[in-house]
Amino acid sequence: MIRDVSRVIALTPVTPLDASRASRASRASRADQPRRPKPEWLKVRAPGSPAYLRLRGLMRELNLHTVCEEARCPNIGECWNHGTATFMILGERCTRACAYCAVAHGRPDPVDAGEPERVARAIRTLGLDYVVVTSVDRDDLPDGGASAFAATIRRTREHWPTCRIEVLIPDFQGSQAALETVLDAVPDVLNHNTETVPRLYRMARSGGRYSRTLELLAHSRRYAPTIPTKTGLMVGLGESRDEVLATLHDLRAVGCEILTIGQYLQPTVAHAPVARFYHPDEFLELKTVALGLGFVRVESGPLVRSSYHAHETADAYAAERKADR
């Protein structure tokens, strides 16, 4: 049975200081553990194509960041070779220190008011017709950075009106006003990653709350029902199959229609270890289950990430929704 979001048990609050101390202690202990070797299906070629080098050069020239580089995404060579990237706004340092994430954390730089313009110029220069815009967590800002997302959407539409824009947003610490600021700018897809099952949130997501994630997705559907919601899960952190299935039920209960499922890969020895590697057949099974629950579009595979094939996923979603009418 699909569970109502109001029945989700909230995790015990912890202070930022407590979370920081626990994170440092946990990372120190993990640094002593050996890393598991990757199976063959997770090995990819090092990037270096002309298109990759051109895109990297443009990012340097405009002083822009991408989550592709900052999070050490294994698909960077494939995506950048096709001229697509996920722009990361609001700096390169996150105010949270999640156990799975390779993005640097610490005191962030001041907000760069010119960044939305530079992102829009880069998108126009590349002639992109679909982009993903994400950010680090900025818990130091009153709106969590929501106004920067809105400005980036609007500036991109001014420079390149035909470009479709997917935003991959943080949780804004549960602020509905911040979420509405982003939705009022009318992105084509609203993406917020669930990342893992509720039992593992305290270990994996510094400052995150499972119930807050579900409420963000639910409120987005209530406030802007024409904007599809999307979310992503990692597997391999120690979750059970039943926990994954329960999470899928929760996500459908709040109206989420687009889902990505990928293998967690340990960025460094200081991050959470991989509990196990899922076989490609297991990803196919999870995709079949998710589609059976009513997700309209599901990307599930070892190297799938939240922005992987985002353009194709959005196209397929639109086509399937049109066919349903």
Side-chain angles (χ1 to χ4, degrees):
M1 180 180 293
I2 295 178
R3 294 178 286 171
D4 186 83
V5 63
S6 62
R7 295 174 58 193
V8 176
I9 301 173
L11 298 176
T12 304
V14 294
T15 67
L17 181 59
D18 288 340
S20 177
R21 287 171 176 165
S23 176
R24 287 196 300 270
S26 180
R27 287 180 184 238
S29 65
R30 289 194 293 265
D32 296 329
Q33 300 177 16
R35 299 176 73 177
R36 298 168 68 95
K38 294 178 184 176
E40 286 301 317
W41 60 80
L42 283 170
K43 295 178 181 178
V44 296
R45 253 184 219 178
S49 70
Y52 167 86
L53 296 173
R54 174 175 175 262
L55 185 49
R56 187 178 67 176
L58 180 64
M59 296 302 172
R60 301 294 182 273
E61 178 185 335
L62 295 176
N63 191 29
L64 296 175
H65 303 285
T66 67
V67 77
C68 320
E69 292 182 287
E70 304 297 338
R72 306 183 187 185
C73 179
N75 303 309
I76 188 170
E78 177 185 351
C79 294
W80 283 27
N81 184 52
H82 289 93
T84 61
T86 298
F87 294 88
M88 190 171 78
I89 61 175
L90 293 167
E92 58 185 338
R93 283 195 295 276
C94 188
T95 53
R96 301 183 189 178
C98 296
Y100 61 86
C101 185
V103 174
H105 65 277
R107 185 182 298 277
D109 294 326
V111 174
D112 181 352
E115 186 174 54
E117 172 70 18
R118 295 200 309 278
V119 171
R121 283 170 49 203
I123 292 168
R124 181 187 62 192
T125 299
L126 291 166
L128 303 178
D129 59 4
Y130 194 96
V131 298
V132 180
V133 179
T134 191
S135 79
V136 293
D137 281 292
R138 289 299 301 260
D139 295 336
D140 59 312
L141 301 176
D143 70 349
S147 57
F149 275 97
T152 303
I153 294 169
R154 293 189 174 106
R155 294 301 289 157
T156 300
R157 294 255 163 80
E158 290 172 10
H159 280 280
W160 202 245
T162 59
C163 183
R164 289 178 295 161
I165 305 167
E166 176 179 322
V167 289
L168 174 55
I169 61 171
D171 63 22
F172 301 132
Q173 298 188 85
S175 170
Q176 291 187 351
L179 173 61
E180 290 167 9
T181 294
V182 177
L183 292 170
D184 286 343
V186 197
D188 292 278
V189 176
L190 190 289
N191 188 350
H192 174 66
N193 281 339
T194 305
E195 304 292 14
T196 189
V197 301
R199 177 177 60 84
L200 297 179
Y201 254 60
R202 192 163 187 174
M203 177 278 290
R205 301 204 72 181
S206 172
R209 301 288 184 274
Y210 182 70
S211 55
R212 185 189 293 166
T213 288
L214 292 183
E215 178 52 32
L216 182 154
L217 294 168
H219 187 68
S220 179
R221 297 297 296 150
R222 292 191 299 265
Y223 186 79
T226 61
I227 299 176
T229 52
K230 175 180 177 180
T231 196
L233 288 173
M234 298 177 295
V235 292
L237 276 166
E239 68 291 327
S240 70
R241 184 177 184 277
D242 286 346
E243 287 177 316
V244 174
L245 298 184
T247 299
L248 297 183
H249 278 279
D250 286 343
L251 293 171
R252 282 300 299 133
V254 296
C256 189
E257 296 179 294
I258 305 174
L259 174 69
T260 60
I261 308 174
Q263 172 70 52
Y264 166 65
L265 298 176
Q266 184 181 12
T268 73
V269 293
H271 289 81
V274 176
R276 79 177 181 92
F277 292 110
Y278 281 55
H279 189 274
D281 290 346
E282 294 179 275
F283 285 101
L284 180 59
E285 181 201 4
L286 289 174
K287 177 176 182 175
T288 301
V289 171
L291 290 171
L293 290 174
F295 284 95
V296 177
R297 186 69 184 178
V298 180
E299 293 286 341
S300 180
L303 292 173
V304 167
R305 297 296 181 265
S306 56
S307 302
Y308 186 56
H309 290 174
H311 187 172
E312 295 90 335
T313 297
D315 285 347
Y317 171 85
E320 288 172 28
R321 270 288 173 239
K322 185 177 180 180
D324 290 339
R325 293 192 186 109

